[in-house]
Amino acid sequence: MIASAVGGLMDITGPVDGSPCKVGVAMTDLQTGLHAYGSILAALLARHRTGRGARIECSLLETQVASLANVASACEISLQAPNRIASLPLPAPCAPFHLLSTLRSRCRCMTSGFRRMPISAPSVLCVCPD
């Protein structure tokens, strides 16, 4: 959580006019794990080719900063600090809606290919045109 806060993720997460929020899952940890996975595979490949071992290092903060490259680019272009965004604008119109027991997300599919896509996440309802 510290890397998320220092790296800027919490500052752009949450309601537009609200306070910074913690992301619902440990994104920084998951992304760092994926970086470690790639590094381990590269080290194993290098060992197989050269017979020498390798040392890998993974940093939560460096991963978090790297994952916000698009936000940093937008800041460089606009010369303004990033705004907090409740959710990113998507090419498909999506919006939350309330059910009896929970808040779900609804997306209207833009192509017929989505109709055939199995949806495994119970929190997503895809409403495709016929």
Coordinates of all heavy atoms in Angstrom, one line a residue, residues 59-107:
S59 N 11.3 -4.3 -7.6 CA 10.9 -3.2 -6.7 C 9.4 -2.8 -6.8 O 9.0 -2.6 -7.9 CB 11.8 -1.9 -7.0 OG 11.2 -0.8 -6.4
L60 N 8.7 -2.8 -5.7 CA 7.3 -2.5 -5.7 C 7.2 -1.0 -6.2 O 6.3 -0.7 -7.1 CB 6.7 -2.6 -4.3 CG 6.5 -4.0 -3.8 CD1 6.2 -4.0 -2.3 CD2 5.5 -4.7 -4.6
L61 N 8.0 -0.1 -5.7 CA 7.9 1.3 -6.1 C 8.2 1.5 -7.6 O 7.5 2.2 -8.3 CB 8.7 2.2 -5.3 CG 8.7 3.7 -5.6 CD1 7.2 4.2 -5.4 CD2 9.6 4.5 -4.7
E62 N 9.3 0.9 -8.1 CA 9.6 1.0 -9.5 C 8.5 0.5 -10.4 O 8.2 1.0 -11.5 CB 11.0 0.4 -9.8 CG 12.1 1.1 -9.2 CD 13.5 0.4 -9.3 OE1 13.5 -0.6 -9.9 OE2 14.4 0.9 -8.7
T63 N 8.0 -0.7 -10.0 CA 6.9 -1.3 -10.8 C 5.7 -0.3 -10.8 O 5.1 -0.1 -11.9 CB 6.5 -2.6 -10.2 OG1 7.6 -3.5 -10.3 CG2 5.3 -3.2 -10.9
Q64 N 5.3 0.3 -9.7 CA 4.2 1.1 -9.6 C 4.4 2.4 -10.5 O 3.5 2.8 -11.2 CB 3.9 1.6 -8.2 CG 2.7 2.4 -8.0 CD 1.5 1.8 -8.6 OE1 1.0 0.8 -8.1 NE2 1.0 2.3 -9.7
V65 N 5.5 3.0 -10.4 CA 5.8 4.2 -11.2 C 5.8 3.8 -12.7 O 5.2 4.5 -13.5 CB 7.2 4.8 -10.8 CG1 7.6 5.9 -11.8 CG2 7.1 5.3 -9.4
A66 N 6.4 2.7 -13.1 CA 6.4 2.2 -14.5 C 4.9 2.0 -15.0 O 4.6 2.2 -16.1 CB 7.2 1.0 -14.7
S67 N 4.1 1.5 -14.1 CA 2.7 1.1 -14.5 C 1.9 2.4 -14.8 O 0.8 2.3 -15.4 CB 2.0 0.2 -13.5 OG 1.8 0.9 -12.3
L68 N 2.3 3.5 -14.3 CA 1.6 4.7 -14.5 C 2.2 5.6 -15.6 O 2.1 6.8 -15.6 CB 1.5 5.5 -13.2 CG 0.6 4.9 -12.1 CD1 0.6 5.7 -10.9 CD2 -0.8 4.6 -12.6
A69 N 2.9 5.0 -16.6 CA 3.6 5.7 -17.6 C 2.6 6.5 -18.4 O 2.9 7.6 -18.8 CB 4.3 4.7 -18.5
N70 N 1.4 6.0 -18.7 CA 0.4 6.8 -19.5 C 0.0 8.0 -18.7 O -0.3 9.1 -19.3 CB -0.8 5.9 -19.9 CG -1.5 5.3 -18.7 OD1 -0.9 5.1 -17.6 ND2 -2.7 4.9 -18.9
V71 N -0.1 7.9 -17.4 CA -0.5 9.1 -16.6 C 0.6 10.1 -16.6 O 0.4 11.3 -16.8 CB -0.8 8.7 -15.1 CG1 -1.1 9.9 -14.3 CG2 -2.0 7.7 -15.1
A72 N 1.9 9.7 -16.5 CA 3.0 10.6 -16.6 C 3.1 11.2 -17.9 O 3.4 12.4 -18.0 CB 4.3 9.8 -16.3
S73 N 2.8 10.5 -19.0 CA 2.8 11.1 -20.3 C 1.8 12.2 -20.5 O 2.1 13.2 -21.0 CB 2.6 10.0 -21.4 OG 3.6 9.1 -21.4
A74 N 0.6 11.9 -20.0 CA -0.5 12.9 -20.0 C -0.1 14.2 -19.2 O -0.4 15.3 -19.7 CB -1.8 12.3 -19.5
C75 N 0.6 14.0 -18.1 CA 1.0 15.2 -17.3 C 2.1 16.0 -18.1 O 2.1 17.2 -18.1 CB 1.6 14.7 -16.0 SG 0.4 14.0 -14.9
E76 N 3.0 15.3 -18.7 CA 4.0 16.0 -19.5 C 3.4 16.7 -20.7 O 3.9 17.8 -21.0 CB 5.0 14.9 -20.1 CG 6.0 14.4 -19.1 CD 7.0 15.4 -18.5 OE1 7.4 16.2 -19.3 OE2 7.3 15.3 -17.3
I77 N 2.4 16.2 -21.3 CA 1.8 16.8 -22.5 C 1.0 18.0 -22.0 O 1.0 19.1 -22.6 CB 1.0 15.8 -23.3 CG1 1.9 14.8 -23.9 CG2 0.1 16.5 -24.3 CD1 1.1 13.6 -24.5
S78 N 0.2 17.8 -21.0 CA -0.8 18.9 -20.5 C -0.1 19.9 -19.6 O -0.7 20.9 -19.3 CB -2.0 18.3 -19.9 OG -1.6 17.7 -18.6
L79 N 1.0 19.5 -19.0 CA 1.7 20.4 -18.0 C 0.8 20.6 -16.8 O 0.8 21.6 -16.1 CB 2.1 21.7 -18.5 CG 3.1 21.6 -19.7 CD1 3.5 23.0 -20.2 CD2 4.4 20.9 -19.2
Q80 N -0.1 19.6 -16.5 CA -1.0 19.7 -15.3 C -0.9 18.4 -14.5 O -0.6 17.3 -15.1 CB -2.5 19.9 -15.8 CG -2.7 21.2 -16.5 CD -4.1 21.3 -16.9 OE1 -5.0 20.4 -16.6 NE2 -4.4 22.3 -17.7
A81 N -1.2 18.5 -13.2 CA -1.2 17.3 -12.4 C -2.4 16.4 -12.8 O -3.4 17.0 -13.2 CB -1.3 17.7 -10.9
P82 N -2.3 15.1 -12.6 CA -3.4 14.3 -13.0 C -4.6 14.4 -12.1 O -4.5 14.7 -10.9 CB -2.8 12.9 -12.9 CG -1.7 13.0 -11.9 CD -1.2 14.4 -12.0
N83 N -5.7 14.3 -12.7 CA -7.0 14.4 -11.9 C -7.3 13.0 -11.4 O -6.9 12.0 -12.0 CB -8.1 14.8 -12.8 CG -8.0 16.3 -13.3 OD1 -7.4 17.1 -12.5 ND2 -8.4 16.6 -14.5
R84 N -8.0 12.9 -10.3 CA -8.5 11.7 -9.8 C -9.7 11.2 -10.7 O -10.5 12.0 -11.1 CB -9.0 11.8 -8.4 CG -9.4 10.5 -7.7 CD -9.6 10.6 -6.2 NE -8.3 11.0 -5.7 CZ -8.1 12.2 -5.1 NH1 -9.0 13.1 -5.0 NH2 -6.9 12.5 -4.6
I85 N -9.6 10.0 -11.1 CA -10.7 9.5 -12.0 C -11.4 8.3 -11.4 O -10.8 7.4 -10.8 CB -10.1 9.0 -13.4 CG1 -8.8 8.2 -13.2 CG2 -9.8 10.2 -14.3 CD1 -8.1 7.7 -14.4
A86 N -12.7 8.4 -11.4 CA -13.5 7.3 -10.8 C -13.3 6.0 -11.6 O -13.2 5.0 -11.0 CB -14.9 7.7 -10.7
S87 N -13.3 6.2 -12.9 CA -13.0 5.0 -13.8 C -12.5 5.6 -15.1 O -12.8 6.7 -15.4 CB -14.2 4.2 -14.0 OG -15.2 4.9 -14.7
L88 N -11.7 4.8 -15.8 CA -11.1 5.3 -17.0 C -12.2 5.3 -18.1 O -13.0 4.4 -18.2 CB -10.0 4.4 -17.5 CG -8.7 4.4 -16.6 CD1 -7.7 3.4 -17.1 CD2 -8.1 5.8 -16.8
P89 N -12.1 6.3 -19.0 CA -13.0 6.2 -20.2 C -12.7 5.1 -21.1 O -11.5 4.8 -21.3 CB -12.7 7.6 -20.9 CG -11.4 8.1 -20.4 CD -11.2 7.4 -19.0
L90 N -13.7 4.3 -21.5 CA -13.5 3.1 -22.3 C -14.1 3.3 -23.6 O -15.0 4.1 -23.8 CB -14.1 1.9 -21.6 CG -13.6 1.6 -20.2 CD1 -14.5 0.5 -19.6 CD2 -12.2 1.1 -20.3
P91 N -13.6 2.6 -24.7 CA -14.2 2.7 -26.0 C -15.7 2.2 -26.0 O -16.5 2.6 -26.8 CB -13.3 1.9 -26.9 CG -12.5 1.0 -26.0 CD -12.5 1.7 -24.6
A92 N -16.0 1.3 -25.1 CA -17.4 0.9 -25.0 C -18.1 1.6 -23.8 O -17.4 1.8 -22.8 CB -17.4 -0.6 -24.7
P93 N -19.3 2.0 -24.0 CA -20.0 2.7 -22.9 C -20.3 1.7 -21.7 O -20.9 0.7 -21.9 CB -21.3 3.2 -23.5 CG -21.5 2.4 -24.7 CD -20.1 1.9 -25.2
C94 N -19.8 2.0 -20.5 CA -20.0 1.2 -19.4 C -20.5 2.1 -18.2 O -20.1 3.2 -18.1 CB -18.7 0.5 -18.9 SG -18.1 -0.7 -20.1
A95 N -21.3 1.5 -17.4 CA -21.8 2.3 -16.2 C -22.2 1.3 -15.1 O -22.6 0.2 -15.4 CB -23.0 3.1 -16.6
P96 N -22.0 1.7 -13.9 CA -22.5 0.8 -12.8 C -24.0 0.9 -12.7 O -24.6 1.9 -13.1 CB -21.8 1.5 -11.5 CG -21.6 2.9 -11.9 CD -21.4 2.9 -13.4
F97 N -24.6 -0.2 -12.2 CA -26.0 -0.2 -11.9 C -26.3 -1.0 -10.7 O -25.5 -1.9 -10.3 CB -26.8 -0.7 -13.1 CG -26.6 -2.1 -13.5 CD1 -27.5 -3.1 -13.0 CD2 -25.5 -2.5 -14.2 CE1 -27.3 -4.4 -13.3 CE2 -25.3 -3.9 -14.5 CZ -26.2 -4.8 -14.1
H98 N -27.4 -0.7 -10.0 CA -27.7 -1.4 -8.7 C -28.6 -2.6 -9.0 O -29.6 -2.5 -9.7 CB -28.3 -0.4 -7.7 CG -27.4 0.6 -7.2 ND1 -26.5 0.4 -6.2 CD2 -27.1 1.9 -7.7 CE1 -25.8 1.4 -6.0 NE2 -26.1 2.4 -6.9
L99 N -28.3 -3.7 -8.3 CA -29.2 -4.8 -8.2 C -29.7 -4.9 -6.8 O -29.4 -4.1 -6.0 CB -28.5 -6.1 -8.6 CG -28.0 -6.2 -10.1 CD1 -27.2 -7.5 -10.3 CD2 -29.1 -6.1 -11.1
L100 N -30.5 -5.9 -6.5 CA -31.0 -6.1 -5.2 C -29.9 -6.2 -4.1 O -30.0 -5.6 -3.0 CB -32.0 -7.3 -5.1 CG -33.2 -7.2 -5.9 CD1 -34.0 -8.5 -5.8 CD2 -34.1 -6.0 -5.4
S101 N -28.8 -6.9 -4.4 CA -27.8 -7.2 -3.4 C -26.5 -6.5 -3.7 O -25.7 -6.5 -2.8 CB -27.6 -8.7 -3.3 OG -27.2 -9.2 -4.5
T102 N -26.2 -6.0 -4.8 CA -24.8 -5.6 -5.1 C -24.8 -4.6 -6.2 O -25.8 -4.4 -7.0 CB -23.9 -6.8 -5.4 OG1 -22.6 -6.3 -5.5 CG2 -24.3 -7.5 -6.7
L103 N -23.7 -3.9 -6.4 CA -23.5 -3.0 -7.5 C -22.7 -3.8 -8.6 O -21.7 -4.4 -8.3 CB -22.6 -1.8 -7.0 CG -22.3 -0.8 -8.1 CD1 -23.6 0.0 -8.5 CD2 -21.3 0.2 -7.5
R104 N -23.2 -3.8 -9.8 CA -22.6 -4.5 -10.9 C -22.2 -3.5 -12.0 O -22.7 -2.3 -12.0 CB -23.6 -5.5 -11.5 CG -24.1 -6.5 -10.5 CD -23.1 -7.5 -10.2 NE -23.6 -8.4 -9.2 CZ -23.6 -9.7 -9.3 NH1 -23.1 -10.3 -10.4 NH2 -24.0 -10.5 -8.3
S105 N -21.4 -3.9 -12.9 CA -21.1 -3.1 -14.1 C -21.8 -3.6 -15.3 O -21.9 -4.8 -15.5 CB -19.6 -3.1 -14.3 OG -18.9 -2.5 -13.3
R106 N -22.2 -2.7 -16.2 CA -22.8 -3.1 -17.4 C -22.1 -2.5 -18.6 O -21.8 -1.3 -18.6 CB -24.3 -2.6 -17.4 CG -25.0 -2.7 -18.7 CD -26.4 -2.2 -18.5 NE -26.5 -0.9 -18.0 CZ -26.7 0.2 -18.6 NH1 -26.8 0.2 -19.9 NH2 -26.7 1.4 -18.0
C107 N -21.8 -3.3 -19.6 CA -21.1 -2.8 -20.7 C -21.9 -3.1 -22.0 O -22.3 -4.3 -22.1 CB -19.7 -3.4 -20.9 SG -18.6 -2.9 -19.5

